[in-house]
């Protein structure tokens, strides 16, 4: 924890304000309150975790703390003001949000990673900044200290904050996420913003029943009283498995970090996997009792290779779950957020959010949203069909090695071996055909499509999430004949680069355990650092995995610019306490760099926040 001079908070300026009743806020309007600025972007799972971590703080400190979301977008689609307004409702953001489309505020407050938090005291000074998630305990201590200090000084003013809730909308569905076809032709849809499941008639419109109270909650029991929190993926179990398990349908209860079982006949809901705590542990290959293991934002589910595969978006992995043995464990990915193919335990993913199994059962398709990629698992290896990496996206059809997507959330394997893609941030449905190696656009003009379902008559329904409905595709969607070729814009994420020198550069991750904690080596080395580069040629030396938080890099002078991809983690435990709780702090950075003659020879990154 390093000391910095007392700094006045930069003024809040942006394109528009949301959740203020049309009022523009200035720092002067927040004087007397503790302000917590949350720099987020709505594609980012870590940012969504922080939104949920902040809910109890907003409630506990409602009369002294004002949270302000500063939306600094990554993807082009996230710059759309209508898309931002939809995301604020979708994710239940109950505080003012400043639209920062050009990342002006992001730069003013020196943010380097999503999410970043900045705390401004009642006199208008920045007193702490922190990157990443998992800071709730530290924030509580900091807010308590600020309350005591500023009540004593007379500079704390209690009272209501500037949040003005929008008018609740009237629609059957509200930001539906995923859907499955039930026996008999009805559809079951995860109604994520209403925290429930909705059964619809085959027309995709007529309401049959709702499972869940409709309130954000975590309650097992009958359909009317059961509680979910932003549920997403749904998976019907094979009948012989369902009979033993005692439920027919599995639900990815995303924000509760749980898997829930539903008996369709009665709508009874049971928790079958997860503790409700978010995963912050160490990577292992063991089978765990499913009810005793922590999960992290499970987003989709599929029955593959005689088990349930879970797209664990929150930690960039795929997991497995056995409904009969009631066990679960890691299956693919290392928790590093990036694109790397290879054996399942060595491959890298980035927020996997959609799953679908090929008709012959041999291949599992994966929508890997943050790399804007379509990946697949076959014969124990993860491959990439379409996609370039974390920082390249767009709407480009043609040969798969050139084609670009933008944050796809859903996939649907077709009987002919091809796959439909819910290309969410392009508002399109795309089709990839492995036989030809081509990507084409079969529908566009859609509002954030998030899933696709094959119907009994061979048609396709799109979960058009931001339009709050299911939409039937034209029959030609299943064939190449019905597709268009789009050569749209190519985007590369551009952020202000860090100038570095060619040759030797020291990468240093600064980590200080939180007060009352110490580094923990119970399960091996307490720290871990993974470094890679895009393009890989940027680094002559220094890529790879190690246990030291400092790394000597050798930068190639022939590569003018690129991105350093860094993942660091540190294990800590409470010090001098019986039954000490253990913690895992981790953060991913994508650091744009430019190689110049007078560039820096040291790149410091702060792993733990509360950098006061």
């Amino acid at each position: 924890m390093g000391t910095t001079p007392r700094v006045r908070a930069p003024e809040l300026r942006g394109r528009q304000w949301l959740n203020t009743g049309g009022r523009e806020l200035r720092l002067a309007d927040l004087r007397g309150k503790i302000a917590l600025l949350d720099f987020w972007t709505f594609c980012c799972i870590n940012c969504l975790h922080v939104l949920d971590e902040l809910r109890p703080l907003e409630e506990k400190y409602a009369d002294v703390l004002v949270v302000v979301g500063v939306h600094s977008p990554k993807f082009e689609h996230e710059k759309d003001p209508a898309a931002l307004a939809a995301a604020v409702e979708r994710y239940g953001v109950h505080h003012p949000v400043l639209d920062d489309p050009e990342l002006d505020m992001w730069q003013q407050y020196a943010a380097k990673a999503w999410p970043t938090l900045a705390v401004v005291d009642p006199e208008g000074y920045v007193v702490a900044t922190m990157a990443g998630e998992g800071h709730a305990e530290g924030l509580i201590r900091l807010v308590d200290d600020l309350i005591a200090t500023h009540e004593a000084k007379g500079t704390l003013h209690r009272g209501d904050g500037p949040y003005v809730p929008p008018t609740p909308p009237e629609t059957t569905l509200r930001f539906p996420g995923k859907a499955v076809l039930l026996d008999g032709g009805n559809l079951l849809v995860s109604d994520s913003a209403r925290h429930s499941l909705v059964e619809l008639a085959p027309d995709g419109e007529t309401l049959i029943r709702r499972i869940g109270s409709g309130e954000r909650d975590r309650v097992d029991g009958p359909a009317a009283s059961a509680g979910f929190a932003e549920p997403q993926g749904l998976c019907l179990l094979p009948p012989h498995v369902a009979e033993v398990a005692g439920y027919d349908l599995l639900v990815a209860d995303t924000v509760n970090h749980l898997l829930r079982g539903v008996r369709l006949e009665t709508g009874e809901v049971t928790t079958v996997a997860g503790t409700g705590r978010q995963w912050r542990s160490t990577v292992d290959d063991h089978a765990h009792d499913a009810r005793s293991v922590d999960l992290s934002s499970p987003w989709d589910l599929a029955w593959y290779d005689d088990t349930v595969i879970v797209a664990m978006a929150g930690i960039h992995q795929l997991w497995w779950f056995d409904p009969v043995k009631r066990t679960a464990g890691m299956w693919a990915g290392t928790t590093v957020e990036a694109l790397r193919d290879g054996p399942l335990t060595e491959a890298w993913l980035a927020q996997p959010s959609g799953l679908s199994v090929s008709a012959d059962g041999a291949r599992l398709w994966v929508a890997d949203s943050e790399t804007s990629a379509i990946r697949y698992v076959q014969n124990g290896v993860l491959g990439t069909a379409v996609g370039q990496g974390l920082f390249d996206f767009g709407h480009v059809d043609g040969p798969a090695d050139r084609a670009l997507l933008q944050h796809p959330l859903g996939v649907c394997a077709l009987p002919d071996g091809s796959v439909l893609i819910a290309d969410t941030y392009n508002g399109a449905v795309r089709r990839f055909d492995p036989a030809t190696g081509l990507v084409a656009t079969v529908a566009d003009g859609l509002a954030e499509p998030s899933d696709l379902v094959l119907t009994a008559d061979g048609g396709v329904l799109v979960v058009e999430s931001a339009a709050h409905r299911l939409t039937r595709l034209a029959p030609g969607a299943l064939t190449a004949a019905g597709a268009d070729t789009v050569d749209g814009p190519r985007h590369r994420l551009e952020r202000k680069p860090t100038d570095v020198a060619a040759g030797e550069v020291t990468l240093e991750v600064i980590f200080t355990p939180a007060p009352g904690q110490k580094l923990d080596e119970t399960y091996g080395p307490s720290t871990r650092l993974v470094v890679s580069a895009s393009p890989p040629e940027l680094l002559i030396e220094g890529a790879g995995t190690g246990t030291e938080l400092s790394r000597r890099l050798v930068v190639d002078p022939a590569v003018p610019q690129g991105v350093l991809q860094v993942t660091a983690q540190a294990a800590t435990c409470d010090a001098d306490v019986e039954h000490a709780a253990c913690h895992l702090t981790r953060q991913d950075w994508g650091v744009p760099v430019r190689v110049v003659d007078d560039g820096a020879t040291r790149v410091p990154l702060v792993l733990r926040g509360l950098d006061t």
Side-chain angles (χ1 to χ4, degrees):
M1 198 176 291
T3 301
T4 55
R6 209 158 136 81
V7 175
R8 276 273 177 202
E11 185 56 86
L12 299 175
R13 294 187 176 88
R15 178 169 57 185
Q16 63 168 340
W17 283 91
L18 294 89
N19 284 353
T20 63
R23 176 185 173 195
E24 283 197 16
L25 296 182
R26 291 286 178 261
L27 283 174
D29 300 318
L30 306 179
R31 194 61 52 85
K33 295 283 196 296
I34 300 161
L36 174 56
L37 308 184
D38 174 19
F39 291 85
W40 69 300
T41 184
F42 65 74
C43 70
C44 162
I45 193 68
N46 310 91
C47 299
L48 302 187
H49 290 165
V50 167
L51 288 177
D52 205 52
E53 288 173 1
L54 294 181
R55 292 184 212 283
L57 277 75
E58 292 181 87
E59 188 174 337
K60 179 177 181 178
Y61 299 108
D63 62 339
V64 294
L65 177 69
V66 176
V67 176
V68 174
V70 183
H71 188 263
S72 306
K74 170 185 174 179
F75 286 103
E76 202 65 20
H77 173 69
E78 293 174 296
K79 296 179 181 179
D80 180 347
L84 172 57
V88 166
E89 182 196 338
R90 177 197 295 268
Y91 297 120
V93 180
H94 293 162
H95 52 248
V97 173
L98 176 61
D99 184 4
D100 178 34
E102 302 305 321
L103 277 67
D104 294 328
M105 286 293 93
W106 163 283
Q107 291 172 9
Q108 287 275 315
Y109 280 83
K112 286 186 168 62
W114 288 285
T116 291
L117 301 173
V119 180
V120 179
D121 74 9
E123 295 179 288
Y125 289 96
V126 177
V127 293
T129 58
M130 56 210 80
E133 53 182 283
H135 298 298
E137 290 178 24
L139 284 168
I140 288 170
R141 288 193 295 271
L142 177 59
V143 170
D144 285 341
D145 288 347
L146 289 171
I147 290 171
T149 298
H150 288 275
E151 274 194 324
K153 291 176 71 173
T155 48
L156 185 75
H157 304 149
R158 295 182 180 270
D160 292 337
Y163 169 64
V164 178
T167 305
E170 293 296 330
T171 54
T172 302
L173 300 173
R174 208 70 200 160
F175 297 104
K178 306 287 185 182
V180 292
L181 185 68
L182 301 176
D183 292 342
N186 283 357
L187 295 142
L188 196 68
V189 184
S190 57
D191 197 17
S192 65
R194 295 241 174 87
H195 315 295
S196 57
L197 312 179
V198 172
E199 185 172 348
L200 300 175
D203 62 8
E205 297 179 12
T206 305
L207 177 66
I208 304 297
R209 63 170 169 166
R210 188 176 289 271
I211 299 173
S213 66
E215 299 297 322
R216 183 187 297 273
D217 212 335
R218 181 189 155 191
V219 179
D220 286 343
S225 57
F228 299 92
E230 298 179 31
Q232 287 286 339
L234 308 170
C235 178
L236 285 167
L237 297 180
H240 68 282
V241 176
E243 187 175 352
V244 178
Y247 53 90
D248 315 282
L249 178 94
L250 200 60
V251 182
D253 192 7
T254 304
V255 176
N256 277 330
H257 309 297
L258 298 173
L259 301 185
R260 316 288 291 281
V262 178
R263 190 185 290 270
L264 289 175
E265 184 180 355
T266 62
E268 184 88 11
V269 177
T270 310
T271 298
V272 298
T275 62
R277 296 185 301 268
Q278 186 184 335
W279 184 92
R280 298 187 190 281
S281 187
T282 51
V283 175
D284 67 47
D285 58 0
H286 307 313
H288 297 266
D289 170 54
R291 287 295 306 272
S292 69
V293 69
D294 298 342
L295 309 180
S296 184
S297 297
W299 206 278
D300 204 8
L301 307 159
W303 182 261
Y304 176 70
D305 201 19
D306 290 326
T307 193
V308 175
I309 301 300
V310 184
M312 204 70 74
I315 45 175
H316 319 298
Q317 289 186 312
L318 303 176
W319 281 40
W320 59 265
F321 166 64
D322 187 328
V324 175
K325 294 182 180 177
R326 301 177 183 178
T327 51
M330 298 179 184
W331 192 60
T334 67
T335 76
V336 172
E337 182 184 16
L339 189 153
R340 184 173 79 179
D341 294 339
L344 295 183
T345 56
E346 300 172 16
W348 293 343
L349 297 109
Q351 216 168 301
S353 302
L355 301 172
S356 185
V357 180
S358 62
D360 62 4
R363 177 173 282 195
L364 176 70
W365 292 100
V366 182
D368 202 31
S369 62
E370 276 295 284
T371 53
S372 297
I374 298 303
R375 320 283 294 277
Y376 59 88
V377 174
Q378 193 162 1
N379 299 324
V381 174
L382 183 72
T384 299
V386 186
Q388 311 292 329
L390 281 168
F391 306 101
D392 294 275
F393 52 91
H395 190 159
V396 178
D397 287 327
D401 60 357
R402 287 189 65 255
L404 293 175
L405 311 168
Q406 188 179 182
H407 198 77
L409 290 178
V411 280
C412 178
L414 297 178
D416 67 357
S418 65
V419 62
L420 291 180
I421 304 159
D423 190 8
T424 308
Y425 285 4
N426 279 327
V429 175
R430 315 280 289 281
R431 179 177 178 269
F432 167 63
D433 186 353
T436 63
L438 296 176
V439 176
T441 298
V442 298
D444 58 13
L446 299 166
E448 294 190 16
S450 57
D451 200 17
L452 301 139
V453 181
L454 275 175
T455 60
D457 60 3
V460 176
L461 284 172
V462 183
V463 180
E464 199 178 354
S465 189
H468 320 294
R469 66 190 179 194
L470 305 186
T471 303
R472 188 172 291 272
L473 285 189
L478 301 187
T479 68
D484 296 321
T485 300
V486 174
D487 190 9
R490 291 178 173 268
H491 298 289
R492 183 167 181 83
L493 181 64
E494 299 293 350
R495 283 179 280 146
K496 187 177 179 182
T498 298
D499 287 346
V500 299
E504 289 196 17
V505 173
T506 300
L507 172 68
E508 184 179 5
V509 176
I510 300 160
F511 175 73
T512 303
Q517 294 179 17
K518 63 181 180 180
L519 287 171
D520 174 40
E521 299 193 352
T522 305
Y523 301 104
S526 58
T527 56
R528 184 168 180 256
L529 180 65
V530 184
V531 179
S532 62
S534 176
E537 296 77 23
L538 176 67
L539 290 182
I540 298 172
E541 294 180 31
T545 301
T547 58
E548 298 294 323
L549 291 183
S550 181
R551 180 80 58 85
R552 172 183 172 271
L553 309 178
V554 179
V555 176
D556 190 338
V559 180
Q561 60 186 17
V563 177
L564 288 177
Q565 294 159 320
V566 181
T567 298
Q569 66 182 46
T572 59
C573 269
D574 295 341
D576 306 319
V577 177
E578 193 177 0
H579 309 302
C582 294
H583 316 269
L584 187 78
T585 303
R586 58 171 288 120
Q587 177 66 32
D588 297 287
W589 293 270
V591 183
V593 296
R594 183 171 55 192
V595 182
V596 297
D597 290 340
D598 57 349
T601 58
R602 177 176 173 266
V603 178
L605 298 170
V606 178
L607 172 58
R608 187 68 176 180
L610 288 177
D611 180 27
T612 58

